[in-house]
């Protein structure tokens, strides 16, 4: 069985993330979405909420499991017996950052494999940061996030 890890903060999950997940789920037996707690970021949504939103957003992808982790990606990768890490690429800046992370992970765990998956052109500009910024300023983000995320963003901004 081929198991891959798709790590990220997913604050919140977007259609760009889901695009990558659909590609990965068609290629591998199991995809673990690893919601990472990054102490360097202040997320809008707690980890548990992000996990729940992802679970709802990908409920039709039967081979996708959502989990959360803290600490080093390589440790979680080994604990879950993964065969590769999936990373989404929107543009050249993403590629540069992801290459640096892939090389760092490989220096910590030489057997780790990283697979870069480009997002579709329609999602090439979509990021969680931009979605939050547009939503915070009253813009319509319904084309960028699933309905469950749209509701969570509205609740966050209204409450």
């Amino acid at each position: 069985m081929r198991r891959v890890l798709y790590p990220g903060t997913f604050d919140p999950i977007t259609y760009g993330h889901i695009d990558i997940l659909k590609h990965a789920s068609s290629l591998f037996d199991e995809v673990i979405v690893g919601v990472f707690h990054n102490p360097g970021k202040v997320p809008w949504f707690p980890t548990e909420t992000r996990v729940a939103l992802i679970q709802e957003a990908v409920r039709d992808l039967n081979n996708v499991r959502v989990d959360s982790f803290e600490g080093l990606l390589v440790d979680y990768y080994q604990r879950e017996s993964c065969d590769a890490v999936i990373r989404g690429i929107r543009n050249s800046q993403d590629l540069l950052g992801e290459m640096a992370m892939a090389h760092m992970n490989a220096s910590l765990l030489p057997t780790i494999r990283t697979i870069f998956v480009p997002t579709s052109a329609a999602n090439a500009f979509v990021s969680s940061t931009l979605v939050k910024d547009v939503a915070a300023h009253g813009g319509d983000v319904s084309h960028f996030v699933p309905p469950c995320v749209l509701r969570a963003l509205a609740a966050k901004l209204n409450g």
Side-chain angles (χ1 to χ4, degrees):
M1 176 154 112
R2 292 290 190 186
R3 176 181 293 146
V4 294
L5 171 62
Y6 181 31
T9 51
F10 304 102
D11 186 45
I13 190 166
T14 69
Y15 284 137
H17 295 124
I18 293 170
D19 184 37
I20 300 300
L21 271 169
K22 286 180 179 177
H23 286 295
S25 71
S26 72
L27 296 171
F28 299 96
D29 299 317
E30 183 180 11
V31 180
I32 301 170
V33 179
V35 180
F36 176 63
H37 170 72
N38 184 344
K41 291 186 177 182
V42 179
W44 272 29
F45 300 103
T47 302
E48 302 77 27
T49 301
R50 287 180 276 147
V51 167
L53 289 171
I54 298 166
Q55 287 171 330
E56 186 173 343
V58 301
R59 67 178 177 262
D60 61 326
L61 299 176
N62 296 326
N63 62 336
V64 173
R65 175 168 56 97
V66 185
D67 195 11
S68 64
F69 71 99
E70 293 184 29
L72 292 174
L73 179 138
V74 294
D75 293 337
Y76 183 77
Y77 177 92
Q78 285 185 298
R79 223 175 15 252
E80 293 296 324
S81 301
C82 293
D83 297 295
V85 173
I86 296 289
R87 298 301 296 166
I89 301 294
R90 292 171 297 186
N91 53 44
S92 59
Q93 288 93 353
D94 277 357
L95 182 60
L96 290 174
E98 295 297 341
M99 285 295 293
M101 283 192 278
H103 290 310
M104 177 57 78
N105 287 331
S107 75
L108 298 171
L109 180 65
T111 58
I112 197 169
R113 295 180 197 141
T114 301
I115 300 169
F116 300 117
V117 178
T119 190
S120 65
N123 292 304
F125 66 94
V126 179
S127 73
S128 297
T129 301
L130 285 175
V131 164
K132 290 183 291 192
D133 189 43
V134 170
H137 290 91
D140 179 12
V141 294
S142 61
H143 297 291
F144 311 122
V145 297
C148 62
V149 172
L150 196 60
R151 290 188 301 273
L153 285 167
K156 172 78 175 172
L157 293 167
N158 294 328

